[in-house]
mmCIF file of all heavy atoms in Angstrom:
data_model
loop_
_atom_site.group_PDB
_atom_site.id
_atom_site.type_symbol
_atom_site.label_atom_id
_atom_site.label_comp_id
_atom_site.label_asym_id
_atom_site.label_seq_id
_atom_site.Cartn_x
_atom_site.Cartn_y
_atom_site.Cartn_z
ATOM 1 N N SER A 1 101.996 70.180 82.293
ATOM 2 C CA SER A 1 101.459 71.510 82.697
ATOM 3 C C SER A 1 102.006 72.634 81.810
ATOM 4 O O SER A 1 101.197 73.481 81.324
ATOM 5 C CB SER A 1 101.694 71.774 84.154
ATOM 6 O OG SER A 1 103.070 71.673 84.496
ATOM 7 N N PRO A 2 103.308 72.732 81.518
ATOM 8 C CA PRO A 2 103.742 73.799 80.611
ATOM 9 C C PRO A 2 103.272 73.597 79.159
ATOM 10 O O PRO A 2 103.059 74.567 78.453
ATOM 11 C CB PRO A 2 105.251 73.754 80.726
ATOM 12 C CG PRO A 2 105.611 72.433 81.216
ATOM 13 C CD PRO A 2 104.456 72.029 82.108
ATOM 14 N N LEU A 3 103.113 72.342 78.772
ATOM 15 C CA LEU A 3 102.570 72.080 77.422
ATOM 16 C C LEU A 3 101.122 72.459 77.350
ATOM 17 O O LEU A 3 100.649 72.957 76.315
ATOM 18 C CB LEU A 3 102.733 70.578 77.067
ATOM 19 C CG LEU A 3 104.181 70.107 76.869
ATOM 20 C CD1 LEU A 3 104.197 68.621 76.516
ATOM 21 C CD2 LEU A 3 104.902 70.910 75.765
ATOM 22 N N TRP A 4 100.361 72.240 78.432
ATOM 23 C CA TRP A 4 98.953 72.664 78.552
ATOM 24 C C TRP A 4 98.828 74.154 78.370
ATOM 25 O O TRP A 4 97.997 74.667 77.612
ATOM 26 C CB TRP A 4 98.443 72.190 79.899
ATOM 27 C CG TRP A 4 97.142 72.718 80.412
ATOM 28 C CD1 TRP A 4 95.904 72.396 79.941
ATOM 29 C CD2 TRP A 4 96.956 73.595 81.523
ATOM 30 N NE1 TRP A 4 94.944 73.021 80.702
ATOM 31 C CE2 TRP A 4 95.585 73.745 81.699
ATOM 32 C CE3 TRP A 4 97.822 74.216 82.439
ATOM 33 C CZ2 TRP A 4 95.026 74.524 82.692
ATOM 34 C CZ3 TRP A 4 97.284 75.003 83.438
ATOM 35 C CH2 TRP A 4 95.880 75.149 83.577
ATOM 36 N N LEU A 5 99.725 74.896 79.037
ATOM 37 C CA LEU A 5 99.744 76.401 78.912
ATOM 38 C C LEU A 5 100.231 76.783 77.529
ATOM 39 O O LEU A 5 99.662 77.714 76.907
ATOM 40 C CB LEU A 5 100.628 76.984 79.978
ATOM 41 C CG LEU A 5 100.756 78.540 79.981
ATOM 42 C CD1 LEU A 5 99.411 79.178 80.175
ATOM 43 C CD2 LEU A 5 101.733 78.970 81.074
ATOM 44 N N GLY A 6 101.247 76.129 77.024
ATOM 45 C CA GLY A 6 101.805 76.435 75.742
ATOM 46 C C GLY A 6 100.795 76.204 74.615
ATOM 47 O O GLY A 6 100.743 76.990 73.651
ATOM 48 N N LEU A 7 100.011 75.154 74.749
ATOM 49 C CA LEU A 7 98.975 74.879 73.762
ATOM 50 C C LEU A 7 97.963 76.006 73.705
ATOM 51 O O LEU A 7 97.545 76.436 72.586
ATOM 52 C CB LEU A 7 98.255 73.562 74.107
ATOM 53 C CG LEU A 7 97.412 72.941 73.010
ATOM 54 C CD1 LEU A 7 98.253 72.390 71.872
ATOM 55 C CD2 LEU A 7 96.538 71.790 73.584
ATOM 56 N N ALA A 8 97.556 76.494 74.875
ATOM 57 C CA ALA A 8 96.592 77.635 74.940
ATOM 58 C C ALA A 8 97.209 78.891 74.338
ATOM 59 O O ALA A 8 96.535 79.623 73.582
ATOM 60 C CB ALA A 8 96.195 77.887 76.380
ATOM 61 N N MET A 9 98.451 79.169 74.664
ATOM 62 C CA MET A 9 99.145 80.358 74.136
ATOM 63 C C MET A 9 99.274 80.272 72.624
ATOM 64 O O MET A 9 99.104 81.256 71.919
ATOM 65 C CB MET A 9 100.481 80.512 74.805
ATOM 66 C CG MET A 9 100.397 80.794 76.298
ATOM 67 S SD MET A 9 101.988 80.913 77.147
ATOM 68 C CE MET A 9 102.498 82.577 76.664
ATOM 69 N N PHE A 10 99.606 79.078 72.129
ATOM 70 C CA PHE A 10 99.767 78.877 70.684
ATOM 71 C C PHE A 10 98.451 79.139 69.946
ATOM 72 O O PHE A 10 98.430 79.895 68.957
ATOM 73 C CB PHE A 10 100.203 77.409 70.440
ATOM 74 C CG PHE A 10 100.455 77.110 68.953
ATOM 75 C CD1 PHE A 10 101.694 77.256 68.416
ATOM 76 C CD2 PHE A 10 99.398 76.676 68.165
ATOM 77 C CE1 PHE A 10 101.937 76.958 67.062
ATOM 78 C CE2 PHE A 10 99.603 76.386 66.805
ATOM 79 C CZ PHE A 10 100.887 76.534 66.272
ATOM 80 N N TYR A 11 97.353 78.600 70.488
ATOM 81 C CA TYR A 11 96.081 78.728 69.786
ATOM 82 C C TYR A 11 95.398 80.072 69.998
ATOM 83 O O TYR A 11 94.617 80.508 69.136
ATOM 84 C CB TYR A 11 95.147 77.541 70.122
ATOM 85 C CG TYR A 11 95.534 76.353 69.267
ATOM 86 C CD1 TYR A 11 96.244 75.312 69.814
ATOM 87 C CD2 TYR A 11 95.237 76.318 67.937
ATOM 88 C CE1 TYR A 11 96.646 74.249 69.026
ATOM 89 C CE2 TYR A 11 95.644 75.259 67.110
ATOM 90 C CZ TYR A 11 96.359 74.216 67.686
ATOM 91 O OH TYR A 11 96.739 73.189 66.880
ATOM 92 N N LEU A 12 95.736 80.738 71.078
ATOM 93 C CA LEU A 12 95.247 82.113 71.213
ATOM 94 C C LEU A 12 95.892 83.007 70.150
ATOM 95 O O LEU A 12 95.237 83.839 69.497
ATOM 96 C CB LEU A 12 95.593 82.685 72.606
ATOM 97 C CG LEU A 12 94.540 82.507 73.700
ATOM 98 C CD1 LEU A 12 95.019 83.183 74.997
ATOM 99 C CD2 LEU A 12 93.182 83.090 73.256
ATOM 100 N N ALA A 13 97.236 82.855 69.987
ATOM 101 C CA ALA A 13 97.941 83.608 68.961
ATOM 102 C C ALA A 13 97.400 83.263 67.600
ATOM 103 O O ALA A 13 97.152 84.130 66.763
ATOM 104 C CB ALA A 13 99.426 83.316 69.067
ATOM 105 N N PHE A 14 97.202 81.969 67.383
ATOM 106 C CA PHE A 14 96.715 81.514 66.067
ATOM 107 C C PHE A 14 95.326 82.041 65.734
ATOM 108 O O PHE A 14 95.024 82.483 64.648
ATOM 109 C CB PHE A 14 96.716 79.975 66.057
ATOM 110 C CG PHE A 14 96.382 79.379 64.695
ATOM 111 C CD1 PHE A 14 97.277 79.423 63.668
ATOM 112 C CD2 PHE A 14 95.150 78.783 64.506
ATOM 113 C CE1 PHE A 14 96.956 78.882 62.417
ATOM 114 C CE2 PHE A 14 94.826 78.261 63.287
ATOM 115 C CZ PHE A 14 95.736 78.303 62.203
ATOM 116 N N SER A 15 94.423 82.020 66.747
ATOM 117 C CA SER A 15 93.062 82.478 66.553
ATOM 118 C C SER A 15 92.962 83.937 66.318
ATOM 119 O O SER A 15 91.983 84.482 65.798
ATOM 120 C CB SER A 15 92.179 82.093 67.735
ATOM 121 O OG SER A 15 92.501 82.871 68.891
ATOM 122 N N ARG A 16 94.041 84.702 66.718
ATOM 123 C CA ARG A 16 94.055 86.173 66.561
ATOM 124 C C ARG A 16 94.728 86.564 65.214
ATOM 125 O O ARG A 16 95.056 87.731 65.008
ATOM 126 C CB ARG A 16 94.814 86.793 67.703
ATOM 127 C CG ARG A 16 94.027 86.705 69.032
ATOM 128 C CD ARG A 16 94.859 87.049 70.242
ATOM 129 N NE ARG A 16 94.015 87.065 71.443
ATOM 130 C CZ ARG A 16 94.491 87.119 72.685
ATOM 131 N NH1 ARG A 16 95.795 87.183 72.873
ATOM 132 N NH2 ARG A 16 93.671 87.130 73.709
ATOM 133 N N GLY A 17 94.944 85.566 64.368
ATOM 134 C CA GLY A 17 95.477 85.877 63.045
ATOM 135 C C GLY A 17 96.964 85.868 62.957
ATOM 136 O O GLY A 17 97.542 86.202 61.890
ATOM 137 N N GLU A 18 97.644 85.550 64.052
ATOM 138 C CA GLU A 18 99.105 85.458 64.006
ATOM 139 C C GLU A 18 99.513 84.108 63.412
ATOM 140 O O GLU A 18 98.663 83.200 63.233
ATOM 141 C CB GLU A 18 99.690 85.602 65.427
ATOM 142 C CG GLU A 18 99.314 86.935 66.075
ATOM 143 C CD GLU A 18 99.757 87.024 67.522
ATOM 144 O OE1 GLU A 18 100.740 86.334 67.880
ATOM 145 O OE2 GLU A 18 99.107 87.746 68.302
ATOM 146 N N ASN A 19 100.767 83.956 63.093
ATOM 147 C CA ASN A 19 101.272 82.690 62.534
ATOM 148 C C ASN A 19 102.419 82.170 63.422
ATOM 149 O O ASN A 19 103.590 82.206 63.039
ATOM 150 C CB ASN A 19 101.762 82.882 61.116
ATOM 151 C CG ASN A 19 100.642 83.194 60.156
ATOM 152 O OD1 ASN A 19 99.708 82.412 60.016
ATOM 153 N ND2 ASN A 19 100.680 84.335 59.495
ATOM 154 N N PRO A 20 102.066 81.649 64.622
ATOM 155 C CA PRO A 20 103.103 81.179 65.540
ATOM 156 C C PRO A 20 103.852 79.977 64.933
ATOM 157 O O PRO A 20 103.270 79.099 64.283
ATOM 158 C CB PRO A 20 102.310 80.749 66.784
ATOM 159 C CG PRO A 20 100.927 80.478 66.274
ATOM 160 C CD PRO A 20 100.710 81.438 65.156
ATOM 161 N N LYS A 21 105.171 79.974 65.174
ATOM 162 C CA LYS A 21 105.947 78.857 64.709
ATOM 163 C C LYS A 21 105.756 77.675 65.654
ATOM 164 O O LYS A 21 105.277 77.840 66.774
ATOM 165 C CB LYS A 21 107.443 79.246 64.641
ATOM 166 C CG LYS A 21 107.732 80.338 63.598
ATOM 167 C CD LYS A 21 109.206 80.645 63.570
ATOM 168 C CE LYS A 21 109.513 81.740 62.536
ATOM 169 N NZ LYS A 21 110.950 82.069 62.505
ATOM 170 N N PHE A 22 106.198 76.503 65.213
ATOM 171 C CA PHE A 22 106.043 75.287 66.034
ATOM 172 C C PHE A 22 106.711 75.464 67.399
ATOM 173 O O PHE A 22 106.174 75.039 68.427
ATOM 174 C CB PHE A 22 106.659 74.104 65.295
ATOM 175 C CG PHE A 22 106.768 72.860 66.143
ATOM 176 C CD1 PHE A 22 105.649 72.144 66.532
ATOM 177 C CD2 PHE A 22 108.002 72.414 66.561
ATOM 178 C CE1 PHE A 22 105.741 71.028 67.327
ATOM 179 C CE2 PHE A 22 108.100 71.273 67.373
ATOM 180 C CZ PHE A 22 106.970 70.605 67.754
ATOM 181 N N SER A 23 107.858 76.134 67.439
ATOM 182 C CA SER A 23 108.594 76.323 68.675
ATOM 183 C C SER A 23 107.774 77.096 69.701
ATOM 184 O O SER A 23 108.019 76.971 70.932
ATOM 185 C CB SER A 23 109.907 77.015 68.448
ATOM 186 O OG SER A 23 109.700 78.291 67.813
ATOM 187 N N TYR A 24 106.816 77.885 69.273
ATOM 188 C CA TYR A 24 106.001 78.694 70.188
ATOM 189 C C TYR A 24 105.166 77.822 71.122
ATOM 190 O O TYR A 24 104.789 78.233 72.221
ATOM 191 C CB TYR A 24 105.119 79.633 69.404
ATOM 192 C CG TYR A 24 104.480 80.733 70.246
ATOM 193 C CD1 TYR A 24 105.196 81.792 70.731
ATOM 194 C CD2 TYR A 24 103.088 80.695 70.530
ATOM 195 C CE1 TYR A 24 104.609 82.778 71.491
ATOM 196 C CE2 TYR A 24 102.506 81.676 71.300
ATOM 197 C CZ TYR A 24 103.266 82.737 71.796
ATOM 198 O OH TYR A 24 102.685 83.701 72.537
ATOM 199 N N PHE A 25 104.892 76.623 70.678
ATOM 200 C CA PHE A 25 104.132 75.656 71.443
ATOM 201 C C PHE A 25 104.802 75.369 72.799
ATOM 202 O O PHE A 25 104.120 75.016 73.786
ATOM 203 C CB PHE A 25 103.981 74.369 70.610
ATOM 204 C CG PHE A 25 103.498 73.162 71.358
ATOM 205 C CD1 PHE A 25 102.358 73.204 72.131
ATOM 206 C CD2 PHE A 25 104.172 71.959 71.271
ATOM 207 C CE1 PHE A 25 101.885 72.092 72.815
ATOM 208 C CE2 PHE A 25 103.727 70.831 71.941
ATOM 209 C CZ PHE A 25 102.573 70.889 72.712
ATOM 210 N N PHE A 26 106.130 75.518 72.857
ATOM 211 C CA PHE A 26 106.891 75.221 74.085
ATOM 212 C C PHE A 26 107.096 76.434 74.964
ATOM 213 O O PHE A 26 107.838 76.383 75.971
ATOM 214 C CB PHE A 26 108.244 74.621 73.697
ATOM 215 C CG PHE A 26 108.136 73.327 72.940
ATOM 216 C CD1 PHE A 26 108.255 73.294 71.591
ATOM 217 C CD2 PHE A 26 107.914 72.138 73.633
ATOM 218 C CE1 PHE A 26 108.140 72.092 70.882
ATOM 219 C CE2 PHE A 26 107.795 70.938 72.942
ATOM 220 C CZ PHE A 26 107.892 70.928 71.550
ATOM 221 N N ILE A 27 106.433 77.548 74.670
ATOM 222 C CA ILE A 27 106.625 78.761 75.417
ATOM 223 C C ILE A 27 106.146 78.622 76.872
ATOM 224 O O ILE A 27 106.596 79.378 77.746
ATOM 225 C CB ILE A 27 105.900 79.932 74.728
ATOM 226 C CG1 ILE A 27 106.421 81.285 75.276
ATOM 227 C CG2 ILE A 27 104.392 79.854 74.862
ATOM 228 C CD1 ILE A 27 105.922 82.501 74.522
ATOM 229 N N GLY A 28 105.276 77.694 77.119
ATOM 230 C CA GLY A 28 104.812 77.477 78.477
ATOM 231 C C GLY A 28 105.897 77.088 79.459
ATOM 232 O O GLY A 28 105.755 77.323 80.656
ATOM 233 N N PHE A 29 107.006 76.585 78.954
ATOM 234 C CA PHE A 29 108.133 76.214 79.827
ATOM 235 C C PHE A 29 108.811 77.491 80.429
ATOM 236 O O PHE A 29 109.534 77.366 81.406
ATOM 237 C CB PHE A 29 109.143 75.391 79.073
ATOM 238 C CG PHE A 29 108.701 73.954 78.889
ATOM 239 C CD1 PHE A 29 108.089 73.582 77.708
ATOM 240 C CD2 PHE A 29 108.915 73.038 79.885
ATOM 241 C CE1 PHE A 29 107.671 72.251 77.545
ATOM 242 C CE2 PHE A 29 108.520 71.700 79.703
ATOM 243 C CZ PHE A 29 107.870 71.318 78.538
ATOM 244 N N LYS A 30 108.531 78.646 79.846
ATOM 245 C CA LYS A 30 109.068 79.890 80.410
ATOM 246 C C LYS A 30 108.280 80.272 81.634
ATOM 247 O O LYS A 30 108.744 81.132 82.460
ATOM 248 C CB LYS A 30 108.992 81.003 79.381
ATOM 249 C CG LYS A 30 109.963 80.839 78.200
ATOM 250 C CD LYS A 30 109.927 82.062 77.283
ATOM 251 C CE LYS A 30 110.965 81.907 76.192
ATOM 252 N NZ LYS A 30 110.951 83.071 75.258
ATOM 253 N N SER A 31 107.087 79.690 81.823
ATOM 254 C CA SER A 31 106.247 79.942 83.004
ATOM 255 C C SER A 31 105.992 78.584 83.710
ATOM 256 O O SER A 31 104.849 78.278 84.059
ATOM 257 C CB SER A 31 104.928 80.580 82.594
ATOM 258 O OG SER A 31 105.144 81.802 81.910
ATOM 259 N N TRP A 32 107.055 77.824 83.849
ATOM 260 C CA TRP A 32 106.979 76.427 84.311
ATOM 261 C C TRP A 32 106.260 76.326 85.676
ATOM 262 O O TRP A 32 105.282 75.591 85.834
ATOM 263 C CB TRP A 32 108.341 75.842 84.409
ATOM 264 C CG TRP A 32 108.398 74.347 84.263
ATOM 265 C CD1 TRP A 32 107.408 73.459 84.576
ATOM 266 C CD2 TRP A 32 109.492 73.573 83.764
ATOM 267 N NE1 TRP A 32 107.816 72.186 84.287
ATOM 268 C CE2 TRP A 32 109.087 72.229 83.799
ATOM 269 C CE3 TRP A 32 110.752 73.902 83.320
ATOM 270 C CZ2 TRP A 32 109.954 71.211 83.403
ATOM 271 C CZ3 TRP A 32 111.609 72.853 82.919
ATOM 272 C CH2 TRP A 32 111.183 71.529 82.954
ATOM 273 N N ILE A 33 106.754 77.083 86.672
ATOM 274 C CA ILE A 33 106.212 77.013 88.041
ATOM 275 C C ILE A 33 104.742 77.467 88.031
ATOM 276 O O ILE A 33 103.910 76.824 88.650
ATOM 277 C CB ILE A 33 107.024 77.888 88.994
ATOM 278 C CG1 ILE A 33 108.505 77.452 89.008
ATOM 279 C CG2 ILE A 33 106.447 77.817 90.390
ATOM 280 C CD1 ILE A 33 108.701 76.018 89.428
ATOM 281 N N ARG A 34 104.474 78.550 87.331
ATOM 282 C CA ARG A 34 103.109 79.070 87.272
ATOM 283 C C ARG A 34 102.153 78.051 86.661
ATOM 284 O O ARG A 34 101.017 77.827 87.149
ATOM 285 C CB ARG A 34 103.124 80.365 86.455
ATOM 286 C CG ARG A 34 101.820 81.141 86.399
ATOM 287 C CD ARG A 34 102.120 82.526 85.873
ATOM 288 N NE ARG A 34 100.954 83.315 85.648
ATOM 289 C CZ ARG A 34 100.451 83.592 84.450
ATOM 290 N NH1 ARG A 34 101.044 83.103 83.366
ATOM 291 N NH2 ARG A 34 99.382 84.340 84.308
ATOM 292 N N SER A 35 102.594 77.415 85.580
ATOM 293 C CA SER A 35 101.739 76.427 84.892
ATOM 294 C C SER A 35 101.513 75.222 85.791
ATOM 295 O O SER A 35 100.395 74.678 85.833
ATOM 296 C CB SER A 35 102.364 76.002 83.577
ATOM 297 O OG SER A 35 103.574 75.289 83.767
ATOM 298 N N MET A 36 102.548 74.784 86.517
ATOM 299 C CA MET A 36 102.402 73.632 87.410
ATOM 300 C C MET A 36 101.441 73.940 88.543
ATOM 301 O O MET A 36 100.628 73.097 88.947
ATOM 302 C CB MET A 36 103.744 73.165 87.934
ATOM 303 C CG MET A 36 104.559 72.379 86.928
ATOM 304 S SD MET A 36 105.981 71.512 87.696
ATOM 305 C CE MET A 36 106.981 72.893 88.135
#
């Protein structure tokens, strides 16, 4: 579930012209409960 959210956050940033680092993919774990 946090990886599912992290994937969306990563590609939203990417599609907006940003250059997210690989570690940004795990940002969903900061919203663990919410994502679950």
